[in-house]
mmCIF file of all heavy atoms in Angstrom:
data_model
loop_
_atom_site.group_PDB
_atom_site.id
_atom_site.type_symbol
_atom_site.label_atom_id
_atom_site.label_comp_id
_atom_site.label_asym_id
_atom_site.label_seq_id
_atom_site.Cartn_x
_atom_site.Cartn_y
_atom_site.Cartn_z
ATOM 1 N N ASP A 41 39.145 11.371 9.988
ATOM 2 C CA ASP A 41 39.353 12.510 9.097
ATOM 3 C C ASP A 41 39.517 12.125 7.635
ATOM 4 O O ASP A 41 39.460 12.987 6.767
ATOM 5 C CB ASP A 41 40.575 13.308 9.544
ATOM 6 C CG ASP A 41 40.377 13.896 10.934
ATOM 7 O OD1 ASP A 41 39.235 14.267 11.260
ATOM 8 O OD2 ASP A 41 41.360 13.948 11.693
ATOM 9 N N ARG A 42 39.764 10.849 7.355
ATOM 10 C CA ARG A 42 40.104 10.503 5.976
ATOM 11 C C ARG A 42 39.086 9.643 5.254
ATOM 12 O O ARG A 42 39.059 9.647 4.038
ATOM 13 C CB ARG A 42 41.447 9.778 5.929
ATOM 14 C CG ARG A 42 42.583 10.668 6.307
ATOM 15 C CD ARG A 42 43.928 10.061 6.162
ATOM 16 N NE ARG A 42 43.921 8.635 5.889
ATOM 17 C CZ ARG A 42 44.900 8.007 5.268
ATOM 18 N NH1 ARG A 42 45.942 8.666 4.867
ATOM 19 N NH2 ARG A 42 44.847 6.707 5.080
ATOM 20 N N PHE A 43 38.254 8.912 5.937
ATOM 21 C CA PHE A 43 37.393 7.998 5.207
ATOM 22 C C PHE A 43 36.244 8.740 4.531
ATOM 23 O O PHE A 43 35.758 9.758 4.992
ATOM 24 C CB PHE A 43 36.887 6.860 6.101
ATOM 25 C CG PHE A 43 35.535 7.078 6.715
ATOM 26 C CD1 PHE A 43 34.398 6.643 6.048
ATOM 27 C CD2 PHE A 43 35.394 7.688 7.929
ATOM 28 C CE1 PHE A 43 33.146 6.824 6.600
ATOM 29 C CE2 PHE A 43 34.154 7.878 8.488
ATOM 30 C CZ PHE A 43 33.024 7.443 7.827
ATOM 31 N N LYS A 44 35.850 8.222 3.395
ATOM 32 C CA LYS A 44 34.743 8.776 2.626
ATOM 33 C C LYS A 44 34.020 7.598 1.978
ATOM 34 O O LYS A 44 34.657 6.676 1.481
ATOM 35 C CB LYS A 44 35.303 9.715 1.569
ATOM 36 C CG LYS A 44 34.347 10.174 0.534
ATOM 37 C CD LYS A 44 35.063 11.064 -0.466
ATOM 38 C CE LYS A 44 34.829 10.493 -1.840
ATOM 39 N NZ LYS A 44 35.304 11.276 -2.924
ATOM 40 N N VAL A 45 32.720 7.607 1.996
ATOM 41 C CA VAL A 45 31.947 6.532 1.380
ATOM 42 C C VAL A 45 31.663 6.921 -0.060
ATOM 43 O O VAL A 45 31.182 8.010 -0.338
ATOM 44 C CB VAL A 45 30.623 6.291 2.138
ATOM 45 C CG1 VAL A 45 29.776 5.252 1.422
ATOM 46 C CG2 VAL A 45 30.912 5.857 3.570
ATOM 47 N N GLY A 46 31.990 5.999 -0.959
ATOM 48 C CA GLY A 46 31.712 6.202 -2.380
ATOM 49 C C GLY A 46 30.472 5.413 -2.762
ATOM 50 O O GLY A 46 29.369 5.700 -2.313
ATOM 51 N N VAL A 47 30.677 4.380 -3.542
ATOM 52 C CA VAL A 47 29.582 3.529 -4.001
ATOM 53 C C VAL A 47 29.107 2.651 -2.852
ATOM 54 O O VAL A 47 29.902 2.145 -2.067
ATOM 55 C CB VAL A 47 30.048 2.648 -5.183
ATOM 56 C CG1 VAL A 47 28.955 1.693 -5.618
ATOM 57 C CG2 VAL A 47 30.499 3.521 -6.344
ATOM 58 N N ILE A 48 27.808 2.472 -2.756
ATOM 59 C CA ILE A 48 27.228 1.620 -1.726
ATOM 60 C C ILE A 48 26.562 0.427 -2.408
ATOM 61 O O ILE A 48 25.789 0.592 -3.349
ATOM 62 C CB ILE A 48 26.182 2.385 -0.894
ATOM 63 C CG1 ILE A 48 26.861 3.537 -0.147
ATOM 64 C CG2 ILE A 48 25.463 1.451 0.071
ATOM 65 C CD1 ILE A 48 25.907 4.456 0.574
ATOM 66 N N GLY A 49 26.902 -0.762 -1.927
ATOM 67 C CA GLY A 49 26.292 -1.979 -2.456
ATOM 68 C C GLY A 49 25.686 -2.788 -1.329
ATOM 69 O O GLY A 49 26.211 -2.837 -0.225
ATOM 70 N N LEU A 50 24.559 -3.392 -1.609
ATOM 71 C CA LEU A 50 23.875 -4.238 -0.640
ATOM 72 C C LEU A 50 23.642 -5.601 -1.268
ATOM 73 O O LEU A 50 23.275 -5.695 -2.428
ATOM 74 C CB LEU A 50 22.517 -3.634 -0.261
ATOM 75 C CG LEU A 50 22.518 -2.212 0.286
ATOM 76 C CD1 LEU A 50 21.095 -1.682 0.367
ATOM 77 C CD2 LEU A 50 23.169 -2.199 1.656
ATOM 78 N N VAL A 51 23.835 -6.650 -0.490
ATOM 79 C CA VAL A 51 23.570 -8.009 -0.942
ATOM 80 C C VAL A 51 22.510 -8.601 -0.019
ATOM 81 O O VAL A 51 22.589 -8.462 1.195
ATOM 82 C CB VAL A 51 24.850 -8.879 -0.892
ATOM 83 C CG1 VAL A 51 24.549 -10.302 -1.309
ATOM 84 C CG2 VAL A 51 25.939 -8.273 -1.771
ATOM 85 N N PHE A 52 21.526 -9.265 -0.617
ATOM 86 C CA PHE A 52 20.426 -9.835 0.144
ATOM 87 C C PHE A 52 20.266 -11.310 -0.186
ATOM 88 O O PHE A 52 20.319 -11.684 -1.357
ATOM 89 C CB PHE A 52 19.096 -9.155 -0.217
ATOM 90 C CG PHE A 52 19.062 -7.691 0.054
ATOM 91 C CD1 PHE A 52 19.451 -6.776 -0.909
ATOM 92 C CD2 PHE A 52 18.632 -7.215 1.280
ATOM 93 C CE1 PHE A 52 19.416 -5.415 -0.661
ATOM 94 C CE2 PHE A 52 18.589 -5.858 1.533
ATOM 95 C CZ PHE A 52 18.990 -4.949 0.563
ATOM 96 N N GLU A 53 20.071 -12.112 0.838
ATOM 97 C CA GLU A 53 19.606 -13.477 0.622
ATOM 98 C C GLU A 53 18.085 -13.399 0.636
ATOM 99 O O GLU A 53 17.488 -12.840 1.556
ATOM 100 C CB GLU A 53 20.078 -14.411 1.728
ATOM 101 C CG GLU A 53 19.502 -15.802 1.593
ATOM 102 C CD GLU A 53 19.665 -16.638 2.840
ATOM 103 O OE1 GLU A 53 19.967 -16.091 3.915
ATOM 104 O OE2 GLU A 53 19.456 -17.851 2.723
#
Side-chain angles (χ1 to χ4, degrees):
D41 297 325
R42 293 185 350 155
F43 95 91
K44 169 182 125 173
V45 175
V47 176
I48 297 173
L50 304 170
V51 178
F52 300 90
E53 175 195 15

